[in-house]
Amino acid sequence: MVDLSSQYQKLKPRIDAAMQQVIDACAFIKGPFVEKFEAELAHYLGVKHVIGCANGTEALMVALMALGLPRGSEVLTPDFTFVASAEAIALLGLVPILVDVDSETFNIDLAKARALVGPNTRAIMPVHLFGQAAPMHELLEMAQELDLKVIEDCAQSLGADVLLPDGSRRKAGTLGHIGCTSFYPSKNLGAYGDGGAIFTNDDGLAWKIRSISNHGMARERYFYDSVGVNSRLDALQAVVLSEKLKELDQYNQSRQQAADHYDRAFANHPQLRVPARHPASTHIFHQYTLVVSGADRDALKEHLQRAGVPSMVYYPKPLHEQEPYRVSINASGEFPVTDELCRGVLSLPMHTELDQEQLDYICQQVLSFFKD
Ligand SMILES: *Cc1c(COP(=O)(O)O)cnc(C)c1O
């Protein structure tokens, strides 16, 4: 599904030298390398503050802690996604309210979200799934009207542009109160281990986030303002990320080119739906996800596997059907789109190193399934 080895070979001299520098300096935790990367990412995103942390899941957790929502507050988040958002919400004694998604974009359905807002609803946590942002303009209007905090999960969309009605562009993750991302190795900007970051334009929130992610300590060493956690980005990861950030736009373009190739092969196929491009966001294709209909998705997956083509089902089971999250089912308890997607989605290999020959072979193998 990914080819991190070929990608590394191209950057090897730069990355090896940068890591050696950290080891020589013995500046492993916090310090100048991490600060440099935080400043570079802030510049890239056009956001005031970037705070590194240990991973994307803790980024979401620390963001929620910084907002200080009262226990039992409800947070709207999509049903069709990776578990981290609902997990972070539940872990903090808040209630994830799972929302069905849009069948075209796989992102949170705002009309359904609005219908679930009650007196205890305090926040909304959209996930910009597979590399394309949720409709942020409408989402922010709704959040303002209903007085909801907005935490954007852009673990899969770092570098995507949100296109606003006035023609301006903003990076996904920088429009809500707080944005969170992950540098898990297979993400569009991946470290060589775990890592994450939190972004905000709010000075007060930035200060709280820095403090919470460092044991609740902010003003002075060994004096605590709140109960915090230990969630830090380490310097070896920061220098890898600094080098790879310079390539991120190019990486995302390679993914878009691979996606265009897939689109051309599958666009008119009666049993395959190619991923929709929403006019309010660019798509950086963390995943290229087809929806299979009128055919057996799992049989297609096996057919590809026999031909040596990896594919994955993101995500096979809705959160509302997972034991720990059954309590958080919404009032209607119905998630028709998520249910349909879990049966039909199939993600094809997507990374920065796919060449024409590989893409042609993958497309041929997908299409040959339907001819048998
Ligand atoms: C990867 C991912 C996360 C979690 O990131 P980790 O760094 O693995 O903790 C959170 N949300 C989404 C949507 C993700 O894809």
Side-chain angles (χ1 to χ4, degrees):
M1 292 296 285
V2 295
D3 182 359
L4 297 175
S5 175
S6 306
Q7 194 191 58
Y8 167 60
Q9 287 310 319
K10 293 181 187 161
L11 302 181
K12 185 172 173 11
R14 279 158 57 188
I15 287 191
D16 290 3
M19 290 183 101
Q20 190 60 51
Q21 241 192 324
V22 174
I23 299 167
D24 290 341
C26 289
F28 297 114
I29 302 289
K30 296 169 77 82
F33 297 106
V34 176
E35 282 164 23
K36 176 170 169 283
F37 170 67
E38 288 175 343
E40 289 162 353
L41 185 58
H43 177 75
Y44 174 83
L45 292 171
V47 71
K48 209 162 165 194
H49 305 277
V50 168
I51 300 113
C53 66
N55 57 64
T57 308
E58 290 188 358
L60 296 167
M61 245 178 65
V62 170
L64 284 166
M65 289 169 82
L67 291 173
L69 307 176
R71 261 187 115 70
S73 298
E74 296 173 355
V75 182
L76 301 159
T77 197
D79 184 31
F80 181 70
T81 183
F82 183 59
V83 70
S85 28
E87 179 184 34
I89 296 164
L91 206 58
L92 292 172
L94 308 169
V95 183
I97 300 294
L98 301 174
V99 184
D100 204 7
V101 296
D102 179 82
S103 64
E104 295 290 318
T105 63
F106 315 135
N107 277 322
I108 193 164
D109 182 319
L110 290 183
K112 289 181 182 173
R114 179 182 282 272
L116 291 166
V117 171
N120 293 323
T121 314
R122 297 277 179 274
I124 180 166
M125 199 186 250
V127 179
H128 304 318
L129 204 71
F130 300 152
Q132 181 169 238
M136 284 308 292
H137 179 69
E138 289 86 344
L139 190 146
L140 292 171
E141 277 186 348
M142 181 180 122
Q144 190 162 30
E145 178 195 329
L146 301 170
D147 196 20
L148 304 176
K149 300 290 185 200
V150 179
I151 301 168
E152 294 175 73
D153 180 343
C154 66
Q156 301 189 1
S157 64
L158 197 71
D161 285 330
V162 173
L163 312 172
L164 293 169
D166 66 3
S168 65
R169 288 172 169 245
R170 302 266 296 276
K171 288 289 177 202
T174 66
L175 290 97
H177 296 91
I178 305 180
C180 296
T181 201
S182 161
F183 304 121
Y184 185 81
S186 63
K187 302 282 154 121
N188 290 38
L189 180 60
Y192 289 174
D194 273 311
I198 308 170
F199 341 123
T200 184
N201 283 308
D202 182 313
D203 297 341
L205 281 175
W207 188 86
K208 276 189 200 153
I209 290 163
R210 280 201 189 280
S211 164
I212 289 167
S213 59
N214 190 29
H215 299 290
M217 178 162 90
R219 277 174 255 264
E220 212 181 323
R221 224 169 180 179
Y222 306 123
F223 290 77
Y224 306 97
D225 295 303
S226 62
V227 177
V229 294
N230 170 15
S231 189
R232 297 180 295 227
L233 182 67
D234 74 69
L236 283 169
Q237 301 309 331
V239 294
V240 171
L241 292 166
S242 280
E243 288 308 321
K244 289 179 71 174
L245 178 60
K246 296 174 193 157
E247 313 297 324
L248 181 60
D249 285 340
Q250 185 56 50
Y251 285 166
N252 287 341
Q253 266 175 35
S254 305
R255 289 171 177 271
Q256 285 162 343
Q257 281 159 11
D260 289 345
H261 194 114
Y262 285 144
D263 273 3
R264 285 193 294 274
F266 308 134
N268 298 314
H269 197 284
Q271 285 160 297
L272 295 173
R273 197 168 82 221
V274 302
R277 316 291 210 273
H278 194 275
S281 171
T282 60
H283 200 321
I284 56 161
F285 290 97
H286 176 61
Q287 299 296 344
Y288 184 91
T289 304
L290 293 167
V291 183
V292 182
S293 59
D296 183 345
R297 185 265 322 268
D298 295 330
L300 169 58
K301 188 172 191 308
E302 279 164 32
H303 167 88
L304 292 174
Q305 194 169 355
R306 281 194 296 276
V309 175
S311 63
M312 289 289 282
V313 175
Y314 303 112
Y315 296 92
K317 190 174 175 182
L319 288 180
H320 75 269
E321 283 182 11
Q322 311 267 2
E323 203 46 47
Y325 299 100
R326 276 179 195 276
V327 288
S328 37
I329 57 170
N330 70 33
S332 77
E334 287 184 7
F335 304 85
V337 176
T338 299
D339 290 334
E340 185 215 313
L341 291 177
C342 288
R343 283 192 296 271
V345 287
L346 191 65
S347 299
L348 297 180
M350 174 50 76
H351 54 83
T352 58
E353 312 300 314
L354 285 163
D355 61 33
Q356 296 297 311
E357 203 181 324
Q358 287 172 315
L359 288 164
D360 284 337
Y361 180 73
I362 295 165
C363 294
Q364 259 169 31
Q365 294 308 316
V366 171
L367 294 172
S368 75
F369 171 77
F370 296 94
K371 287 180 194 136
D372 295 344

